[in-house]
Amino acid sequence: MNSPGLSRPRWRKSTHSGAVENDCVEVADLDGQVAVRDSKAPATGHLILTRQAFAVLLTHLR
């Protein structure tokens, strides 16, 4: 399946990462959607959310 932005997503790490740099969540903008992955295991895949669903997730995590 080809999704916009998935060929070379620009991943960025959470600003709330712990002391160990590899222990965090990374996100990427996918042209209207947000991808989320575990930085410790980036090859295992990622979760794609709508911007609205990502906002709801962040609200619940706070």
Side-chain angles (χ1 to χ4, degrees):
M1 174 172 116
N2 287 334
S3 296
L6 277 181
S7 60
R8 290 190 182 166
R10 186 171 160 212
W11 294 97
R12 64 183 197 273
K13 293 184 180 186
S14 168
T15 58
H16 297 284
S17 298
V20 179
E21 194 166 315
N22 290 334
D23 289 343
C24 63
V25 172
E26 294 178 318
V27 296
D29 181 10
L30 301 179
D31 299 324
Q33 296 178 316
V34 178
V36 181
R37 73 178 181 182
D38 181 351
S39 66
K40 295 178 291 185
T44 61
H46 54 271
L47 176 65
I48 298 176
L49 302 166
T50 64
R51 290 190 180 282
Q52 181 180 10
F54 185 65
V56 169
L57 174 64
L58 293 179
T59 299
H60 284 294
L61 292 174
R62 288 184 192 142

Short mmCIF file of all heavy atoms in Angstrom, two decimals:
data_model
loop_
_atom_site.label_atom_id
_atom_site.label_comp_id
_atom_site.label_asym_id
_atom_site.label_seq_id
_atom_site.Cartn_x
_atom_site.Cartn_y
_atom_site.Cartn_z
N MET A 1 0.85 -1.18 0.00
CA MET A 1 0.00 0.00 0.00
C MET A 1 0.89 1.24 0.00
O MET A 1 1.78 1.38 0.83
CB MET A 1 -0.87 -0.02 1.25
CG MET A 1 -1.69 1.22 1.42
SD MET A 1 -2.85 1.02 2.78
CE MET A 1 -2.24 2.26 3.87
N ASN A 2 0.67 2.14 -0.90
CA ASN A 2 1.40 3.39 -0.95
C ASN A 2 0.58 4.49 -0.32
O ASN A 2 -0.54 4.74 -0.73
CB ASN A 2 1.74 3.78 -2.39
CG ASN A 2 2.83 2.93 -2.96
OD1 ASN A 2 3.65 2.40 -2.23
ND2 ASN A 2 2.85 2.79 -4.27
N SER A 3 1.13 5.12 0.68
CA SER A 3 0.47 6.24 1.34
C SER A 3 1.31 7.48 1.12
O SER A 3 2.54 7.40 1.11
CB SER A 3 0.32 5.99 2.83
OG SER A 3 -0.52 4.90 3.05
N PRO A 4 0.68 8.64 0.97
CA PRO A 4 1.46 9.86 0.79
C PRO A 4 2.41 10.08 1.96
O PRO A 4 2.06 9.90 3.11
CB PRO A 4 0.39 10.96 0.77
CG PRO A 4 -0.88 10.27 0.50
CD PRO A 4 -0.74 8.87 0.99
N GLY A 5 3.65 10.44 1.64
CA GLY A 5 4.61 10.74 2.68
C GLY A 5 5.32 9.54 3.28
O GLY A 5 6.25 9.68 4.04
N LEU A 6 4.90 8.32 2.93
CA LEU A 6 5.51 7.14 3.54
C LEU A 6 6.81 6.72 2.87
O LEU A 6 7.57 5.97 3.45
CB LEU A 6 4.54 5.95 3.52
CG LEU A 6 3.53 5.92 4.64
CD1 LEU A 6 2.64 4.69 4.51
CD2 LEU A 6 4.19 5.92 5.99
N SER A 7 7.07 7.16 1.66
CA SER A 7 8.30 6.74 1.01
C SER A 7 9.53 7.22 1.78
O SER A 7 10.49 6.49 1.91
CB SER A 7 8.34 7.22 -0.43
OG SER A 7 8.28 8.63 -0.47
N ARG A 8 9.47 8.43 2.31
CA ARG A 8 10.58 8.98 3.11
C ARG A 8 10.03 9.90 4.18
O ARG A 8 10.21 11.12 4.10
CB ARG A 8 11.54 9.73 2.22
CG ARG A 8 12.31 8.82 1.32
CD ARG A 8 13.41 9.56 0.64
NE ARG A 8 14.08 8.63 -0.25
CZ ARG A 8 14.90 8.97 -1.18
NH1 ARG A 8 15.16 10.25 -1.38
NH2 ARG A 8 15.48 8.09 -1.94
N PRO A 9 9.36 9.34 5.16
CA PRO A 9 8.84 10.23 6.21
C PRO A 9 9.98 10.85 7.00
O PRO A 9 11.04 10.26 7.16
CB PRO A 9 8.01 9.30 7.10
CG PRO A 9 8.56 7.94 6.84
CD PRO A 9 9.06 7.95 5.42
N ARG A 10 9.75 12.05 7.46
CA ARG A 10 10.75 12.76 8.29
C ARG A 10 10.36 12.55 9.75
O ARG A 10 9.46 13.21 10.26
CB ARG A 10 10.75 14.23 7.93
CG ARG A 10 11.82 14.99 8.63
CD ARG A 10 11.92 16.40 8.07
NE ARG A 10 12.60 17.22 9.05
CZ ARG A 10 12.36 18.48 9.24
NH1 ARG A 10 11.46 19.10 8.52
NH2 ARG A 10 13.02 19.14 10.15
N TRP A 11 11.02 11.61 10.39
CA TRP A 11 10.71 11.26 11.77
C TRP A 11 11.37 12.26 12.72
O TRP A 11 12.49 12.68 12.52
CB TRP A 11 11.21 9.85 12.08
CG TRP A 11 10.47 8.81 11.30
CD1 TRP A 11 10.87 8.24 10.14
CD2 TRP A 11 9.19 8.26 11.60
NE1 TRP A 11 9.93 7.35 9.70
CE2 TRP A 11 8.89 7.33 10.58
CE3 TRP A 11 8.28 8.44 12.63
CZ2 TRP A 11 7.71 6.60 10.57
CZ3 TRP A 11 7.11 7.71 12.61
CH2 TRP A 11 6.83 6.81 11.60
N ARG A 12 10.65 12.60 13.78
CA ARG A 12 11.23 13.44 14.83
C ARG A 12 10.88 12.84 16.18
O ARG A 12 9.82 12.26 16.36
CB ARG A 12 10.78 14.87 14.71
CG ARG A 12 9.33 15.13 14.89
CD ARG A 12 9.04 16.62 14.67
NE ARG A 12 7.76 16.97 15.22
CZ ARG A 12 6.62 16.87 14.59
NH1 ARG A 12 6.57 16.42 13.36
NH2 ARG A 12 5.49 17.22 15.18
N LYS A 13 11.81 13.00 17.12
CA LYS A 13 11.64 12.42 18.45
C LYS A 13 10.85 13.35 19.35
O LYS A 13 10.90 14.55 19.22
CB LYS A 13 12.99 12.11 19.07
CG LYS A 13 13.71 11.01 18.32
CD LYS A 13 14.99 10.64 19.01
CE LYS A 13 15.66 9.53 18.20
NZ LYS A 13 16.83 9.02 18.86
N SER A 14 10.18 12.74 20.29
CA SER A 14 9.43 13.49 21.28
C SER A 14 10.36 14.38 22.10
O SER A 14 11.47 13.99 22.44
CB SER A 14 8.71 12.52 22.22
OG SER A 14 8.19 13.20 23.33
N THR A 15 9.88 15.56 22.43
CA THR A 15 10.66 16.45 23.30
C THR A 15 10.62 15.98 24.75
O THR A 15 11.34 16.49 25.59
CB THR A 15 10.13 17.90 23.23
OG1 THR A 15 8.76 17.90 23.59
CG2 THR A 15 10.29 18.47 21.84
N HIS A 16 9.78 15.00 25.05
CA HIS A 16 9.65 14.46 26.41
C HIS A 16 10.40 13.14 26.56
O HIS A 16 10.05 12.32 27.40
CB HIS A 16 8.18 14.28 26.77
CG HIS A 16 7.42 15.57 26.79
ND1 HIS A 16 7.53 16.47 27.81
CD2 HIS A 16 6.57 16.11 25.90
CE1 HIS A 16 6.77 17.52 27.56
NE2 HIS A 16 6.18 17.33 26.40
N SER A 17 11.41 12.92 25.74
CA SER A 17 12.19 11.69 25.80
C SER A 17 12.90 11.59 27.13
O SER A 17 13.26 12.60 27.74
CB SER A 17 13.23 11.66 24.68
OG SER A 17 12.60 11.70 23.43
N GLY A 18 13.17 10.38 27.53
CA GLY A 18 13.89 10.15 28.77
C GLY A 18 15.37 10.42 28.62
O GLY A 18 15.83 10.94 27.60
N ALA A 19 16.14 10.06 29.63
CA ALA A 19 17.58 10.31 29.63
C ALA A 19 18.29 9.51 28.55
O ALA A 19 19.29 9.94 28.00
CB ALA A 19 18.16 9.98 31.00
N VAL A 20 17.76 8.33 28.24
CA VAL A 20 18.35 7.50 27.19
C VAL A 20 17.74 7.94 25.87
O VAL A 20 16.54 7.86 25.67
CB VAL A 20 18.07 6.00 27.45
CG1 VAL A 20 18.66 5.16 26.34
CG2 VAL A 20 18.63 5.60 28.81
N GLU A 21 18.58 8.40 24.97
CA GLU A 21 18.08 9.01 23.73
C GLU A 21 17.24 8.07 22.87
O GLU A 21 16.38 8.52 22.13
CB GLU A 21 19.25 9.55 22.92
CG GLU A 21 18.81 10.47 21.82
CD GLU A 21 19.95 11.26 21.24
OE1 GLU A 21 20.77 11.78 22.00
OE2 GLU A 21 20.02 11.34 20.01
N ASN A 22 17.46 6.77 22.93
CA ASN A 22 16.71 5.84 22.09
C ASN A 22 15.39 5.39 22.71
O ASN A 22 14.67 4.61 22.11
CB ASN A 22 17.56 4.63 21.74
CG ASN A 22 18.67 5.01 20.79
OD1 ASN A 22 18.56 5.96 20.04
ND2 ASN A 22 19.75 4.26 20.82
N ASP A 23 15.07 5.83 23.91
CA ASP A 23 13.84 5.42 24.58
C ASP A 23 12.76 6.48 24.38
O ASP A 23 12.46 7.26 25.28
CB ASP A 23 14.08 5.20 26.08
CG ASP A 23 14.91 3.97 26.34
OD1 ASP A 23 15.03 3.14 25.44
OD2 ASP A 23 15.43 3.86 27.44
N CYS A 24 12.20 6.54 23.20
CA CYS A 24 11.17 7.54 22.99
C CYS A 24 10.28 7.17 21.81
O CYS A 24 10.49 6.19 21.12
CB CYS A 24 11.79 8.91 22.77
SG CYS A 24 12.80 9.03 21.31
N VAL A 25 9.32 7.99 21.62
CA VAL A 25 8.38 7.85 20.51
C VAL A 25 8.80 8.84 19.43
O VAL A 25 9.24 9.94 19.72
CB VAL A 25 6.95 8.18 21.00
CG1 VAL A 25 5.98 8.24 19.85
CG2 VAL A 25 6.51 7.16 22.03
N GLU A 26 8.66 8.42 18.18
CA GLU A 26 8.93 9.30 17.06
C GLU A 26 7.63 9.51 16.29
O GLU A 26 6.80 8.61 16.23
CB GLU A 26 9.98 8.70 16.12
CG GLU A 26 11.34 8.58 16.76
CD GLU A 26 12.35 7.94 15.84
OE1 GLU A 26 12.02 6.97 15.15
OE2 GLU A 26 13.49 8.42 15.82
N VAL A 27 7.48 10.69 15.72
CA VAL A 27 6.30 10.99 14.91
C VAL A 27 6.76 11.55 13.56
O VAL A 27 7.85 12.10 13.44
CB VAL A 27 5.36 12.01 15.60
CG1 VAL A 27 4.80 11.43 16.88
CG2 VAL A 27 6.05 13.31 15.88
N ALA A 28 5.90 11.39 12.56
CA ALA A 28 6.17 11.93 11.23
C ALA A 28 4.87 12.46 10.64
O ALA A 28 3.80 11.86 10.81
CB ALA A 28 6.76 10.86 10.32
N ASP A 29 4.96 13.57 9.96
CA ASP A 29 3.81 14.17 9.27
C ASP A 29 3.65 13.48 7.93
O ASP A 29 4.60 13.41 7.14
CB ASP A 29 4.05 15.66 9.08
CG ASP A 29 2.89 16.36 8.39
OD1 ASP A 29 1.83 15.75 8.22
OD2 ASP A 29 3.06 17.54 8.04
N LEU A 30 2.46 12.96 7.67
CA LEU A 30 2.20 12.24 6.42
C LEU A 30 1.09 12.93 5.63
O LEU A 30 0.11 12.30 5.24
CB LEU A 30 1.79 10.79 6.71
CG LEU A 30 2.79 9.94 7.46
CD1 LEU A 30 2.23 8.55 7.69
CD2 LEU A 30 4.11 9.87 6.72
N ASP A 31 1.23 14.20 5.39
CA ASP A 31 0.26 14.92 4.56
C ASP A 31 -1.17 14.72 5.04
O ASP A 31 -2.00 14.13 4.36
CB ASP A 31 0.38 14.51 3.10
CG ASP A 31 1.74 14.80 2.51
OD1 ASP A 31 2.31 15.84 2.90
OD2 ASP A 31 2.22 14.01 1.70
N GLY A 32 -1.45 15.20 6.23
CA GLY A 32 -2.80 15.11 6.78
C GLY A 32 -2.98 14.00 7.79
O GLY A 32 -4.03 13.90 8.42
N GLN A 33 -2.00 13.14 7.92
CA GLN A 33 -2.04 12.08 8.92
C GLN A 33 -0.75 12.14 9.72
O GLN A 33 0.21 12.80 9.33
CB GLN A 33 -2.18 10.71 8.25
CG GLN A 33 -3.49 10.55 7.50
CD GLN A 33 -3.56 9.21 6.81
OE1 GLN A 33 -2.61 8.77 6.20
NE2 GLN A 33 -4.71 8.57 6.91
N VAL A 34 -0.72 11.42 10.83
CA VAL A 34 0.46 11.39 11.68
C VAL A 34 0.86 9.93 11.89
O VAL A 34 0.02 9.10 12.24
CB VAL A 34 0.17 12.06 13.06
CG1 VAL A 34 1.40 11.98 13.95
CG2 VAL A 34 -0.26 13.50 12.86
N ALA A 35 2.13 9.64 11.66
CA ALA A 35 2.65 8.30 11.93
C ALA A 35 3.38 8.32 13.26
O ALA A 35 4.05 9.30 13.59
CB ALA A 35 3.60 7.87 10.82
N VAL A 36 3.27 7.25 14.01
CA VAL A 36 3.90 7.12 15.33
C VAL A 36 4.64 5.79 15.36
O VAL A 36 4.11 4.77 14.92
CB VAL A 36 2.83 7.14 16.46
CG1 VAL A 36 3.48 7.05 17.83
CG2 VAL A 36 1.96 8.38 16.36
N ARG A 37 5.88 5.81 15.86
CA ARG A 37 6.64 4.56 15.98
C ARG A 37 7.52 4.58 17.22
O ARG A 37 7.80 5.63 17.79
CB ARG A 37 7.48 4.30 14.74
CG ARG A 37 8.69 5.19 14.61
CD ARG A 37 9.50 4.86 13.38
NE ARG A 37 10.68 5.71 13.28
CZ ARG A 37 11.54 5.66 12.29
NH1 ARG A 37 11.32 4.82 11.28
NH2 ARG A 37 12.59 6.45 12.28
N ASP A 38 7.98 3.42 17.60
CA ASP A 38 8.90 3.24 18.72
C ASP A 38 10.32 3.43 18.18
O ASP A 38 10.75 2.69 17.29
CB ASP A 38 8.73 1.84 19.30
CG ASP A 38 9.61 1.55 20.49
OD1 ASP A 38 10.51 2.36 20.79
OD2 ASP A 38 9.40 0.50 21.12
N SER A 39 11.06 4.37 18.73
CA SER A 39 12.41 4.62 18.22
C SER A 39 13.37 3.47 18.50
O SER A 39 14.39 3.35 17.83
CB SER A 39 12.97 5.92 18.81
OG SER A 39 13.17 5.77 20.19
N LYS A 40 13.05 2.62 19.47
CA LYS A 40 13.91 1.48 19.78
C LYS A 40 13.76 0.37 18.75
O LYS A 40 14.62 -0.47 18.62
CB LYS A 40 13.60 0.92 21.16
CG LYS A 40 13.92 1.88 22.29
CD LYS A 40 13.54 1.27 23.62
CE LYS A 40 12.02 1.20 23.65
NZ LYS A 40 11.46 0.75 24.91
N ALA A 41 12.64 0.37 18.03
CA ALA A 41 12.37 -0.69 17.05
C ALA A 41 11.69 -0.10 15.81
O ALA A 41 10.56 -0.46 15.48
CB ALA A 41 11.50 -1.76 17.69
N PRO A 42 12.34 0.81 15.11
CA PRO A 42 11.70 1.49 13.99
C PRO A 42 11.31 0.56 12.83
O PRO A 42 10.38 0.86 12.09
CB PRO A 42 12.72 2.52 13.55
CG PRO A 42 14.03 2.02 14.05
CD PRO A 42 13.71 1.26 15.30
N ALA A 43 11.99 -0.55 12.70
CA ALA A 43 11.69 -1.47 11.59
C ALA A 43 10.45 -2.32 11.83
O ALA A 43 9.96 -2.97 10.90
CB ALA A 43 12.89 -2.38 11.33
N THR A 44 9.91 -2.29 13.04
CA THR A 44 8.75 -3.13 13.34
C THR A 44 7.45 -2.53 12.85
O THR A 44 6.42 -3.18 12.90
CB THR A 44 8.63 -3.42 14.84
OG1 THR A 44 8.48 -2.18 15.53
CG2 THR A 44 9.83 -4.17 15.36
N GLY A 45 7.49 -1.31 12.37
CA GLY A 45 6.28 -0.69 11.83
C GLY A 45 5.89 0.56 12.58
O GLY A 45 6.59 1.01 13.48
N HIS A 46 4.76 1.10 12.16
CA HIS A 46 4.28 2.33 12.77
C HIS A 46 2.76 2.36 12.73
O HIS A 46 2.13 1.62 11.99
CB HIS A 46 4.87 3.55 12.05
CG HIS A 46 4.64 3.54 10.57
ND1 HIS A 46 5.52 2.94 9.71
CD2 HIS A 46 3.63 4.01 9.83
CE1 HIS A 46 5.06 3.06 8.48
NE2 HIS A 46 3.91 3.70 8.52
N LEU A 47 2.21 3.24 13.50
CA LEU A 47 0.77 3.45 13.59
C LEU A 47 0.45 4.74 12.86
O LEU A 47 1.13 5.75 13.05
CB LEU A 47 0.37 3.57 15.07
CG LEU A 47 -1.08 3.88 15.41
CD1 LEU A 47 -1.97 2.72 14.97
CD2 LEU A 47 -1.21 4.13 16.89
N ILE A 48 -0.56 4.72 12.00
CA ILE A 48 -0.97 5.92 11.28
C ILE A 48 -2.31 6.39 11.83
O ILE A 48 -3.26 5.62 11.89
CB ILE A 48 -1.07 5.67 9.77
CG1 ILE A 48 0.28 5.27 9.21
CG2 ILE A 48 -1.60 6.92 9.06
CD1 ILE A 48 0.26 4.92 7.73
N LEU A 49 -2.34 7.66 12.24
CA LEU A 49 -3.55 8.25 12.82
C LEU A 49 -3.94 9.50 12.04
O LEU A 49 -3.08 10.19 11.49
CB LEU A 49 -3.28 8.66 14.27
CG LEU A 49 -2.83 7.57 15.23
CD1 LEU A 49 -2.30 8.19 16.51
CD2 LEU A 49 -3.97 6.64 15.52
N THR A 50 -5.22 9.81 12.05
CA THR A 50 -5.64 11.11 11.54
C THR A 50 -5.14 12.16 12.53
O THR A 50 -4.83 11.85 13.68
CB THR A 50 -7.17 11.22 11.43
OG1 THR A 50 -7.73 11.13 12.75
CG2 THR A 50 -7.75 10.13 10.53
N ARG A 51 -5.08 13.40 12.10
CA ARG A 51 -4.65 14.46 13.02
C ARG A 51 -5.59 14.55 14.22
O ARG A 51 -5.17 14.79 15.34
CB ARG A 51 -4.57 15.79 12.29
CG ARG A 51 -3.44 15.83 11.30
CD ARG A 51 -3.24 17.25 10.79
NE ARG A 51 -2.15 17.31 9.84
CZ ARG A 51 -0.87 17.30 10.15
NH1 ARG A 51 -0.50 17.23 11.41
NH2 ARG A 51 0.05 17.36 9.21
N GLN A 52 -6.88 14.36 13.97
CA GLN A 52 -7.86 14.42 15.06
C GLN A 52 -7.63 13.28 16.05
O GLN A 52 -7.63 13.50 17.26
CB GLN A 52 -9.28 14.36 14.50
CG GLN A 52 -10.33 14.45 15.58
CD GLN A 52 -11.74 14.38 15.02
OE1 GLN A 52 -11.94 14.09 13.85
NE2 GLN A 52 -12.72 14.65 15.86
N ALA A 53 -7.40 12.08 15.56
CA ALA A 53 -7.15 10.95 16.46
C ALA A 53 -5.85 11.14 17.23
O ALA A 53 -5.77 10.77 18.41
CB ALA A 53 -7.12 9.64 15.66
N PHE A 54 -4.84 11.72 16.60
CA PHE A 54 -3.57 11.99 17.28
C PHE A 54 -3.78 13.00 18.41
O PHE A 54 -3.25 12.84 19.50
CB PHE A 54 -2.53 12.49 16.28
CG PHE A 54 -1.17 12.67 16.86
CD1 PHE A 54 -0.43 11.59 17.33
CD2 PHE A 54 -0.60 13.93 16.94
CE1 PHE A 54 0.84 11.76 17.87
CE2 PHE A 54 0.67 14.11 17.47
CZ PHE A 54 1.38 13.02 17.94
N ALA A 55 -4.58 14.02 18.15
CA ALA A 55 -4.88 15.02 19.18
C ALA A 55 -5.61 14.38 20.36
O ALA A 55 -5.32 14.69 21.52
CB ALA A 55 -5.71 16.16 18.59
N VAL A 56 -6.54 13.47 20.07
CA VAL A 56 -7.26 12.77 21.13
C VAL A 56 -6.29 11.91 21.94
O VAL A 56 -6.34 11.89 23.17
CB VAL A 56 -8.41 11.91 20.54
CG1 VAL A 56 -9.00 10.98 21.59
CG2 VAL A 56 -9.49 12.81 19.95
N LEU A 57 -5.39 11.21 21.25
CA LEU A 57 -4.38 10.39 21.94
C LEU A 57 -3.53 11.25 22.88
O LEU A 57 -3.33 10.89 24.04
CB LEU A 57 -3.49 9.70 20.91
CG LEU A 57 -2.30 8.92 21.48
CD1 LEU A 57 -2.76 7.74 22.34
CD2 LEU A 57 -1.39 8.45 20.36
N LEU A 58 -3.07 12.39 22.39
CA LEU A 58 -2.25 13.26 23.24
C LEU A 58 -3.03 13.77 24.45
O LEU A 58 -2.49 13.85 25.55
CB LEU A 58 -1.72 14.45 22.43
CG LEU A 58 -0.72 14.13 21.35
CD1 LEU A 58 -0.30 15.40 20.61
CD2 LEU A 58 0.49 13.41 21.92
N THR A 59 -4.30 14.08 24.26
CA THR A 59 -5.14 14.53 25.38
C THR A 59 -5.25 13.43 26.42
O THR A 59 -5.13 13.69 27.63
CB THR A 59 -6.55 14.93 24.86
OG1 THR A 59 -6.39 16.01 23.95
CG2 THR A 59 -7.45 15.33 26.01
N HIS A 60 -5.46 12.19 26.00
CA HIS A 60 -5.57 11.07 26.95
C HIS A 60 -4.25 10.79 27.66
O HIS A 60 -4.25 10.39 28.81
CB HIS A 60 -6.06 9.82 26.24
CG HIS A 60 -7.51 9.84 25.92
ND1 HIS A 60 -8.50 9.84 26.88
CD2 HIS A 60 -8.15 9.91 24.74
CE1 HIS A 60 -9.68 9.88 26.30
NE2 HIS A 60 -9.51 9.94 25.00
N LEU A 61 -3.14 11.00 26.97
CA LEU A 61 -1.84 10.73 27.57
C LEU A 61 -1.45 11.78 28.60
O LEU A 61 -0.66 11.50 29.50
CB LEU A 61 -0.76 10.63 26.50
CG LEU A 61 -0.88 9.43 25.58
CD1 LEU A 61 0.16 9.51 24.47
CD2 LEU A 61 -0.74 8.13 26.35
N ARG A 62 -1.98 12.98 28.46
CA ARG A 62 -1.65 14.04 29.42
C ARG A 62 -2.32 13.73 30.72
O ARG A 62 -2.03 13.96 31.77
CB ARG A 62 -2.11 15.40 28.92
CG ARG A 62 -1.25 15.86 27.79
CD ARG A 62 -1.65 17.24 27.35
NE ARG A 62 -0.98 17.51 26.09
CZ ARG A 62 -1.50 18.14 25.08
NH1 ARG A 62 -2.72 18.62 25.16
NH2 ARG A 62 -0.83 18.34 23.99
#
